[in-house]
Structures are given as structure tokens and as C-alpha cells.
Amino acid sequence: MVTPLRLAFLNLRADIGAGPVAAGAFWMRVVVFALCCMVGFGASPAQASDRQLGLAAAPYPPLTTVAKDGYLDRIVQEAFARADIELTYQATSPGRGLYGSLTGEFDGYFATPDLQGTALAALVRVPEVIHAGKSGGVYLREDITMMDKEYLKPYRVGYVKGWKQVKDMLKDVPDLYAAESSSHLLEMLVRDRVDVAYMFFLQARYQAQRQEVSGLKFSDHTFVTELFIHLSPEHADLADDLAAAIRSMKADGTLEDIMAPAMMKWGAK
């Protein structure tokens, strides 16, 4: 098959030696052909890279998982698809994911609360919540009653490492311990290494089901954490497109439909 590119070269060769006028036309074609190549082959990669992001996310099942099939994984995947942005991402720790988004290792991070403090201030928050989760104290002992966070002070309290918002909130608790994961935190509670596990209630019920732990109790004191997507500064121009995509998912019920099975299984009782 003769391609358009091959025909172009045939036409160029036909003009060579056909006289001064034809030769001038030949060189004009060469210039135009070169410019077309620059536009056709040079601009496309730049345009593609502007709409392709590699993000990081810490695994917090069932919301986010290493297999990328958690409920928030699916919400974020749908939001990027609606915004026409190609998404790749990998599971990593919150620290590496967030600071890697500043150093260029990643293009952003999800799902995290609104970031505070100067170290991460440069990251751009997509201005639309992807999930609001209720968290608080989770415990097994009958003698614990938690009406507010002040009730935590006499107890050994654990939380999932990397959750800076909770760490700051619990800074006055004398015995504070960081677990590597939600499953590790629940295991610490079962083995009596902590008295209270501070975690998302949905996540606690999910882990209890998986680890066959019964008798969990939940504090009256609760803390609602809104989770967002954050982008590295060079991709700030994509924040509004993603926000619009998330709003459209809320408007047509897609976001609620994705979260509904999780809320039915492990949500507020």
C-alpha cells in the first residue's frame, strides 16, 4: 500500500530538475513538509503528557487497595475518565506519596485531608470532596466511655501512621502509638497493646470482619474527615476539570452508587 507520506516524497522527487520554477516549488514543499512534521510529531507528545498523570495513594482498604479496586480507587478512576485525563498510580506510604508529589516522583496523591502546614502547602487541592468519613475511638473494653477527645488521655491510643491530622489532634495524649496499617492497628487492639484505636469507623468494621474480631465499640466522640485529590503544582490547571468531573458524579448519583455497597456493609450503624 502506498502511504500519504510515500506519495509526498514521490512528488518531491518529481519536482527535482524540472526547471527553476519547479525547483522553487520543490523547496517550498520541503519547508512546508518539514513544518508539518514538526507540528504532527512534535506537538502530540506534549499534548498527551498534559493529560496523563501518575499519582500515588496509600492503601487503606476498603477505600483504597494495592489492587486499585477500592471504593475511592473507583471514584478517582471515574473522575479522571470523565475529565479525559489518563491516570496511572501506585500504592505507597503517605509520606513518600505526598513529598514525592513535590519532588517530581509523582504528579499527585489521593485520598488525603486538606493539607495544612508549610511543607506541603505547594500541593494543589482539587476543590471537591471525594469522600467524607466518620472516625473516632474504637475499643473492646467495657469500662471505656468516650464523650470527647479529652477522654482519651488516660488510655493507650493507636492510629494509622501518616494520618497527620489525627496525630496533631491527639498530641496531648501521653501514650500515643503509630501502626503501619489499619489491620496492624486492629491487631494491636486485640492483643491489648493499645486501649483505643483511633480510625475510620467504616474501616474498623471492614477490618473486624476480615480479621474475625467481634465486640467492637465506637466512641460518641466522632471526627468527620473530608478526603481530596492533591496535585503537584505543575498540574494545577487540571484541578478544575477534575472538580467538575467529581461534581458531575455527585449530580448523577454515580459517586453514591459506588460507595453504597461499602456503606451498607460497614457504614454507620
Side-chain angles (χ1 to χ4, degrees):
M1 184 177 73
V2 179
T3 64
L5 187 61
R6 181 173 176 83
L7 286 173
F9 278 113
L10 289 173
N11 289 338
L12 291 177
R13 285 200 299 269
D15 285 334
I16 298 176
V21 174
F26 163 74
W27 290 114
M28 180 62 71
R29 288 189 184 187
V30 169
V31 171
V32 171
F33 182 77
L35 290 173
C36 290
C37 288
M38 291 173 64
V39 172
F41 298 109
S44 296
Q47 291 171 353
S49 65
D50 288 343
R51 308 296 294 188
Q52 177 177 335
L53 299 184
L55 270 60
Y60 291 117
L63 299 176
T64 54
T65 70
V66 174
K68 303 175 185 176
D69 58 359
Y71 295 94
L72 292 191
D73 290 315
R74 292 169 56 199
I75 287 171
V76 171
Q77 290 162 9
E78 175 65 19
F80 271 74
R82 291 192 182 200
D84 195 26
I85 302 171
E86 185 177 344
L87 170 66
T88 60
Y89 63 96
Q90 70 179 73
T92 186
S93 66
R96 181 189 170 198
L98 289 168
Y99 287 102
S101 298
L102 288 176
T103 62
E105 183 179 5
F106 305 108
D107 295 317
Y109 182 91
F110 76 92
T112 184
D114 189 12
L115 299 173
Q116 299 175 355
T118 56
L120 297 169
L123 292 179
V124 178
R125 177 173 60 84
V126 173
E128 194 68 34
V129 176
I130 57 173
H131 177 64
K134 183 183 290 187
S135 57
V138 179
Y139 45 95
L140 292 166
R141 287 169 44 181
E142 296 286 348
D143 61 322
I144 296 177
T145 302
M146 285 184 55
M147 302 301 294
D148 57 50
K149 66 179 182 179
E150 294 302 313
Y151 281 69
L152 286 168
K153 288 184 178 179
Y155 302 111
R156 299 166 299 166
V157 180
Y159 70 102
V160 178
K161 185 178 180 180
W163 196 355
K164 186 177 183 299
Q165 196 176 30
V166 166
K167 182 180 178 182
D168 291 344
M169 187 178 67
L170 302 177
K171 63 185 178 188
D172 295 329
V173 176
D175 292 330
L176 192 60
Y177 303 89
E180 292 297 325
S181 65
S182 56
S183 60
H184 181 218
L185 179 56
L186 194 61
E187 184 180 338
M188 290 171 65
L189 183 66
V190 171
R191 295 189 177 188
D192 196 32
R193 292 171 57 191
V194 295
D195 303 306
V196 177
Y198 203 99
M199 58 196 306
F200 284 109
F201 288 171
L202 182 150
Q203 195 174 44
R205 293 188 178 99
Y206 166 81
Q207 287 298 155
Q209 185 182 75
R210 286 183 61 86
Q211 295 170 234
E212 298 183 343
V213 177
S214 60
L216 285 187
K217 299 171 177 57
F218 299 86
S219 64
D220 293 324
H221 159 70
T222 59
F223 182 69
V224 175
T225 301
E226 295 182 332
L227 301 178
F228 299 88
I229 302 168
H230 283 78
L231 302 177
S232 56
E234 59 266 34
H235 298 296
D237 59 313
L238 301 180
D240 287 342
D241 288 351
L242 285 168
I246 297 166
R247 284 194 292 271
S248 74
M249 292 172 64
K250 293 177 179 178
D252 65 20
T254 301
L255 192 147
E256 184 178 356
D257 288 344
I258 292 174
M259 283 301 302
M263 298 308 296
M264 289 178 63
K265 291 179 183 177
W266 310 294
K269 299 291 190 294

